[in-house]
Structure formats: structure tokens, C-alpha cells
Amino acid sequence: MTIKSLKLLTVSYLLIPNLIFILTWLNPLWATLGFVVSVYSFYSFIIETNKSNEDFSALRVNRIEPSTLLYLALFTLILGVVFSLGNFGLGQSYDYYKHNTIVKELIEKPFPVVYENETRYGILKEPAILGYYMAYYLPTAIICKFVGFGASNILLYLWGAIGIFISFSWLYFLSPKNINIVLIFILFLLGATLFKPYLYAHYLLKNIVSLPMIQYFIWPSGISFNLINVHYSPQHHIVTTVGVFFVYYESFIRKDNRFVLFFVSLLLMWSFLGAFSVGIIAGFLVLFRKFSKFFSIANIVGGGIITFIMASYFLAHFQDNRFSGFIWTFADISGYLYQKPLVSILALIGYCIFEIGIYLFFMFKLFSSRSSYQNKLILLLFCAAYFIISPLYRIGFNNDLAMRLISTIKILIFILLIGAYSEMLKSKISVKFLKIYMAFTILLGIFSSMTTLKWEKVPSIAESPNINKADIPEEIFLQYFAKKNSFFGNYLMREVKTED
């Protein structure tokens, strides 16, 4: 597989659920418009990719050999079982109550899924539509509408595994040539790339010291480990890893932004917050490259219209005051910061310094030592600013946004990290320190992963309850519904016979 083949596979994989949504949820006018611009932009992407010269010395290899692809595929399938994609393996996380229930609703009910007379916990008292990140579920649901529930869990497993395989393939291409690829995969999966004293202090001292700000800040840090993302929410893992890898390669390495907006627009149906955080990185790189080749018709029209459709869909969400976790419900500064300003500020400063400050300082010294590293130094400074700003959301109650911002920037930081490791291996003085550091971070990564991951028995898709039944788990709360009486519901969505 060449890097061109991987790019085409990546965009095809992300596009398929968007096309399913556009053709089955939108009215004829918008379905036609969305389909035409999507196909046109994708066709343009294929043509430009096939014409481009992408033989970069920055890549680990020119192509991934079939034997290596087989190893990656087997590794992905094993990982998928260990972390229970599709309800296989050791057991799923509590998030899969939501996953499996939503898939069942999508299989059983006509598209779009509408609830006319539904009441959720006494707060949903008007017509609603299912309004969640559905790209991860739609391909399974559309097939099972014809073949039944029997294949649903295995299809969900395979669909998630394809996305993880794509992210691993990007990692293989972007890794430096002089670093052992096994080590890179271990570091990437464990998230063991940074010092995490808050995280470990929480686990080691939780029975001795009660400090709410520790828990307040470590959760978005801890949840960003890639193994945990696979286990709890593979759709977010796929968007953040594949999204950052693709944007970094296109904008930073190739200096070509002609499909960046179109690409980011495809991420919205997978994870609105994941797309938002990848979009921040993409926006910075577009500005950094001075809009190089950005204003192509395929990019502006295709990306713009798809973004408009998906933004209209997600902005119809009900606001859930119990779980302020979406971008349109910003952090409540009257939270812990207001009550304990000194403790909050000290905790935030400590978090930023110890979580990433030491590491960023080391990388700054490396990238500022040679004029050829000037671009990487600018990207590093952006990462530092991004990381320092993102925990501010954690002072309030916007948990999901903080988590997506932090986990996404850590993937970009990881790319810079392995580049820095590669340079250190050329220095005899640094090699011994590097080996000790890697061993230390791997041990901490194993410890933190094993203390965070949890497995439990979750009903299969066929056995999951329906949303309009009283026994639905509390994981299906208000933020998974959107208003039917909204701009999207009134002007973009097609009419459908409802089921109460």
C-alpha cells in the first residue's frame, strides 16, 4: 500500500457514512445537493491524488509491504477483541449501552429516526430526532435493515477495526526511519509520552489526600490514552488519530490545503467535537501555509455545504444542563474556579507545567538548535499554546470538549515527539537517557491504562432496549436527541412516518 492508496482509503472510509446520512435523512433538494458536492469533491480528490508526486524522504517507507499490512491487520483484529468492538472479547465499557442501543434504533426505525411523543426523564416534551455521532453506526445499521440483527455485532466490530487499521497505517508511514516501529506502537497505544504526576498522584494518594482539583484535571488527560479511546469510544479515536495524521501530512509535509476543509467536514458526522479539535489544528496549518491551494472549488463548495448540513443537524441538539459536554454549551466559570480561585489557578499551572511543560522545554531546545527545524518549532509553540488554553474549559463543566481538545493535541505532539526521539538517537550522550525515559514512560502507561480500563457485560445490539421504553439505561440522556422543530428538522430533513 502506498501513501496515495492510504489517502484514498481514508477519505472513502470517512465519506461512506456521510453519504448514507445525506441520502436517507435529508429531503430531496438537500440530499441531491449534498450527494452531488460530496461525489464531486471526492472525485476531484482522487484525480489530484493520482496526479501528485508524494515520494517524501520524511516518510518511513515508500509503501507498506503486504506482509506488514497483514501484521497490522492481525494486530488490529486482536486489539478489537481485547477492547470489545462490537461486544466481543473481555466485555465492553458502559459507553456501549449507548452504542448498541443507538444501533438497534437505527436498524428498527425508518430514517430519519423521529420521536413524536417521547418523554425522557420528564425533560423531553416535544418532537425529537436521534441526534448523535452516527457515522460509526450507520453502515452496520443500513446493512442490517436487510439482513437482520444477526450480523450487527460482527459488522460493528469490523467497521471499527477498519478505522483503527487506517490510523495504524498512518502511524507506520509517519514514524521516523531510525526508531523501532514496535516501540512507536507501544508508546502510541499507551499514551505514555508525557509525565503525568497528577494522574498517578490521584491513584496513589486518593485514599490519603482528598484534592478535588486533581480529579478535576486528570480525567481528560487520562481518557486520552489511545487504548482507552478504543475501548470507550472508537468513533472519537478514529476521528482524532486519522484526522490529525491526514491534516499533518497534507498541510505540514506536503504543504497542500486544497482538500483540508472537505476532509474535516467529513469528520463531523463521526464526532462533532473531534472534528472541531482537528479543525483547530487544520485552521492553524492553513494560516501557517498562507492558504496554499486552499481555495479550490472542491474544498470550498464540498467542505462548505457538508459542514453546513452537519452543523445544522448538531446545533439542533437539546441543551442538557446535567451534562454540559458539547461545544454549544460552554464552560461555566462559576464552577470550582469561582469557589476556590487560588487552588484552581495553582492546579492549572501545575497541570500545564508537569503534564507537558518539561517535555515541551526539551523539544524547544532541540528544534531551536538548527535553522532547518524552524517549521517544527513554530508547530511546537502552537501545541504549547493549544495545550495551555484547553484545560481552561475543565474549570467549568465542559468535560467532553476539554477531553477532545487535549486528546487531539496530544496526537500531534506525539508526531513531534517521535521526531525528537529520532534526533536524540543520533547523539551518544542522549541515548542512555532516552532508554531510561522510554522505559519509565512505558511502565507508567501500563499502570495508568490498567487502572483506568474497565470491562462489563453489555447486552448485544439485538438484546438492547428501545429508547422509548422505560428500562433504557441512563447513558441515553438528553444530549443524544435533537429538536425536530429546528432549522434542520423543518428545512433539511425529509418527512417520515413516525413511530411512537
Side-chain angles (χ1 to χ4, degrees), residues 30-46:
W30 281 98
T32 302
L33 180 60
F35 180 78
V36 169
V37 299
S38 298
V39 172
Y40 169 74
S41 296
F42 183 53
Y43 176 75
S44 301
F45 176 73
I46 294 173

Side-chain angles (χ1 to χ4, degrees), residues 182-229:
V182 175
L183 177 63
I184 290 172
F185 271 80
I186 291 173
L187 289 172
F188 179 71
L189 285 171
L190 293 176
T193 57
L194 310 167
F195 293 101
K196 295 183 173 67
Y198 275 84
L199 182 62
Y200 307 117
H202 167 69
Y203 286 115
L204 296 175
L205 303 177
K206 62 182 179 180
N207 295 324
I208 303 173
V209 179
S210 177
L211 185 57
M213 288 307 295
I214 291 179
Q215 174 62 31
Y216 224 59
F217 279 99
I218 65 95
W219 185 71
S221 172
I223 205 70
S224 66
F225 296 160
N226 290 293
L227 288 182
I228 296 173
N229 268 341

Side-chain angles (χ1 to χ4, degrees), residues 68-369:
T68 303
L69 287 175
L70 179 61
Y71 290 135
L72 285 176
L74 290 174
F75 179 64
T76 301
L77 292 174
I78 292 171
L79 187 70
V81 171
V82 171
F83 294 99
S84 307
L85 296 178
N87 209 15
F88 294 101
L90 300 175
Q92 296 183 321
S93 76
Y94 64 85
D95 266 18
Y96 276 83
Y97 283 110
K98 167 193 66 186
H99 294 186
N100 294 339
T101 299
I102 289 175
V103 175
K104 185 176 183 181
E105 293 290 285
L106 290 170
I107 294 172
E108 288 190 335
K109 291 180 168 60
F111 290 169
V113 179
V114 177
Y115 304 94
E116 285 286 4
N117 301 309
E118 179 62 16
T119 299
R120 300 298 304 138
Y121 313 116
I123 49 180
L124 177 56
K125 297 177 180 178
E126 63 178 283
I129 56 177
L130 191 62
Y132 193 64
Y133 312 143
M134 290 191 295
Y136 180 60
Y137 318 120
L138 278 174
T140 293
I142 203 76
I143 293 173
C144 288
K145 280 183 178 291
F146 298 97
V147 303
F149 280 106
S152 56
N153 284 105
I154 186 66
L155 287 173
L156 194 63
Y157 163 74
L158 291 174
W159 183 244
I162 292 171
I164 296 168
F165 169 79
I166 291 172
S167 70
F168 288 164
S169 298
W170 276 106
L171 180 62
Y172 193 94
F173 269 116
L174 295 175
S175 300
K177 298 177 182 179
N178 64 330
I179 299 183
N180 187 296
I181 195 65
V182 175
L183 177 63
I184 290 172
F185 271 80
I186 291 173
L187 289 172
F188 179 71
L189 285 171
L190 293 176
T193 57
L194 310 167
F195 293 101
K196 295 183 173 67
Y198 275 84
L199 182 62
Y200 307 117
H202 167 69
Y203 286 115
L204 296 175
L205 303 177
K206 62 182 179 180
N207 295 324
I208 303 173
V209 179
S210 177
L211 185 57
M213 288 307 295
I214 291 179
Q215 174 62 31
Y216 224 59
F217 279 99
I218 65 95
W219 185 71
S221 172
I223 205 70
S224 66
F225 296 160
N226 290 293
L227 288 182
I228 296 173
N229 268 341
V230 175
H231 182 50
Y232 283 85
S233 51
Q235 72 272 30
H236 297 301
H237 165 85
I238 292 167
V239 166
T240 52
T241 53
V242 173
V244 171
F245 289 153
F246 183 94
V247 168
Y248 172 80
Y249 174 74
E250 287 288 277
S251 291
F252 191 76
I253 296 180
R254 290 192 64 237
K255 306 175 185 178
D256 190 338
N257 295 305
R258 75 184 72 191
F259 294 104
V260 167
L261 177 59
F262 172 63
F263 175 81
V264 173
S265 74
L266 298 179
L267 305 181
L268 292 165
M269 178 49 59
W270 288 82
S271 169
F272 193 92
L273 294 178
F276 176 74
S277 55
V278 172
I280 294 176
I281 296 172
F284 171 79
L285 290 174
V286 168
L287 290 172
F288 177 63
R289 294 301 182 194
K290 299 178 181 178
F291 291 90
S292 173
K293 304 176 183 178
F294 179 78
F295 296 103
S296 67
I297 296 176
N299 199 34
I300 300 301
V301 176
I305 290 178
I306 295 174
T307 298
F308 175 78
I309 292 171
M310 298 308 170
S312 298
Y313 173 63
F314 284 110
L315 289 173
H317 271 87
F318 289 95
Q319 179 173 318
D320 189 342
N321 293 325
R322 300 173 307 144
F323 298 93
S324 301
F326 283 84
I327 189 170
W328 50 87
T329 308
F330 288 97
D332 183 357
I333 301 302
S334 65
Y336 205 87
L337 173 64
Y338 180 79
Q339 300 170 23
K340 302 279 187 179
L342 180 59
V343 175
S344 298
I345 292 170
L346 289 176
L348 179 60
I349 293 173
Y351 174 76
C352 291
I353 291 175
F354 290 106
E355 170 72 9
I356 197 171
I358 298 172
Y359 164 67
L360 286 178
F361 176 75
F362 151 70
M363 292 234 305
F364 177 83
K365 296 288 287 185
L366 176 66
F367 292 144
S368 62
S369 63

